[in-house]
Amino acid sequence: KKKFCRFCQRNVKFIDYKNIDILKRYVPDRAKISPRRVTGTCAFHQRKLAEAVKRARLLAMLPYVVD
């Protein structure tokens, strides 16, 4: 089954690092960023997603590692 980018379907141009609910879907319980082959996001949105997750981690909105 072909996976589709959810951000492309919704015509999202910018992924906000303050929207933690969306970012948590792409960060599993081990606190690693899920790869493209698992989530189905396109390369453009995967880069934007990784950047948003890293910014959220820097501001302590998301954890770097699990306790």
Side-chain angles (χ1 to χ4, degrees):
K1 181 179 175 184
K2 179 95 169 95
K3 295 180 183 177
F4 295 102
C5 179
R6 293 181 192 148
F7 299 112
C8 287
Q9 287 177 341
R10 296 182 181 134
N11 202 16
V12 174
K13 300 292 182 198
F14 177 73
I15 300 174
D16 193 13
Y17 67 92
K18 292 175 271 189
N19 197 344
I20 301 302
D21 297 329
I22 290 176
L23 296 181
K24 280 186 178 179
R25 288 188 205 145
Y26 297 95
V27 179
D29 56 346
R30 300 283 300 188
K32 296 175 77 175
I33 302 171
S34 296
R36 283 181 56 203
R37 66 179 182 273
V38 174
T39 60
T41 57
C42 66
F44 174 79
H45 285 113
Q46 181 69 22
R47 287 192 297 269
K48 298 294 180 185
L49 180 72
E51 184 180 340
V53 168
K54 290 173 186 176
R55 283 185 182 173
R57 285 176 175 168
L58 187 69
L59 295 172
M61 295 176 172
L62 284 176
Y64 278 102
V65 293
V66 180
D67 292 338

